[in-house]
């Protein structure tokens, strides 16, 4: 199997997409699957910034340190460098389809479409809510990560 290269995309790349990247990396490592993973935002407000501190604390509670992650914006080259790009909500999915270059080779999808019963849903955005919203977000992206790893293990990436 070719090494999967997965990009997770939300709006600002400081909450949901770093958590999705983190749990996917951890689940893939647990399964012994060699992957490339990254996260980005469709907006550029948080370029160069670490993830939200609440996201960092949530990831640490689950055994993953994301403090060195660095916010970045989706680039045209991402559509050729990655095998899959997963948007964390429908708005960002629409943006990805709109900015996708004509020579793109990537498969684009909605992350929760991977989870039975959650198709078409957005990953909860915890940014403006209470701290416990980050746990809900972690649970959702973790379920998607497990489903994605299972697909990759079956060779159905």
């Amino acid at each position: 199997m070719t090494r999967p290269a997965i990009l997770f995309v939300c709006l600002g790349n400081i909450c949901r997409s770093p958590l999705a990247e983190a749990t996917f990396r951890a689940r893939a490592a647990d399964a012994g699957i060699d992957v490339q993973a990254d996260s980005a935002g469709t907006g550029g407000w948080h370029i160069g910034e670490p993830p939200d501190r609440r996201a960092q604390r949530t990831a640490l509670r689950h055994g993953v340190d994301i403090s060195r992650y660095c916010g970045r914006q989706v680039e045209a080259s991402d559509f050729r460098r990655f095998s899959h790009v997963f948007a964390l909500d429908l708005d960002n999915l629409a943006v990805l389809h709109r900015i996708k270059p004509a020579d793109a080779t990537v498969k684009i999808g909605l992350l929760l479409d991977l989870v039975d019963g959650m198709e078409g849903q957005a990953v909860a955005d915890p940014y403006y809510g209470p701290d416990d919203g980050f746990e809900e977000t972690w649970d959702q992206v973790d379920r998607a990560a497990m489903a994605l790893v299972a697909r990759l293990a079956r060779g159905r990436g």
Side-chain angles (χ1 to χ4, degrees):
M1 168 172 58
T2 305
R3 181 178 186 219
I6 313 294
L7 179 65
F8 300 94
V9 177
C10 67
L11 186 60
N13 192 217
I14 59 168
C15 293
R16 294 178 294 169
S17 56
L19 290 175
E21 176 189 351
T23 186
F24 174 68
R25 284 179 180 274
R27 294 293 184 174
D30 289 348
I33 298 175
D34 182 29
V35 298
Q36 176 186 350
D38 199 358
S39 58
T42 55
W45 308 278
H46 301 289
I47 294 172
E49 294 179 16
D52 183 287
R53 291 197 183 282
R54 297 166 296 173
Q56 290 185 45
R57 285 192 300 268
T58 300
L60 272 177
R61 276 194 298 276
H62 293 277
V64 183
D65 182 2
I66 63 170
S67 63
R68 287 192 166 80
Y69 285 22
C70 187
R72 73 177 192 86
Q73 190 169 13
V74 175
E75 302 171 351
S77 62
D78 291 331
F79 293 92
R80 291 178 295 281
R81 187 163 62 106
F82 291 94
S83 56
H84 298 78
V85 174
F86 289 105
L88 279 77
D89 61 53
L90 291 169
D91 291 337
N92 285 297
L93 180 64
V95 170
L96 290 169
H97 282 296
R98 190 170 61 247
I99 66 173
K100 180 176 79 171
D103 65 343
T105 56
V106 70
K107 294 177 186 175
I108 299 174
L110 186 64
L111 184 63
L112 289 182
D113 281 353
L114 297 170
V115 180
D116 289 339
M118 298 190 81
E119 298 88 347
Q121 294 182 37
V123 171
D125 187 348
Y127 189 72
Y128 292 106
D131 289 4
D132 61 355
F134 285 81
E135 279 299 325
E136 177 185 2
T137 299
W138 179 271
D139 290 343
Q140 291 175 347
V141 297
D142 189 44
R143 289 179 66 190
M146 288 186 289
L148 180 54
V149 166
R151 287 176 63 117
L152 294 171
R154 293 190 305 268
R156 295 182 44 224

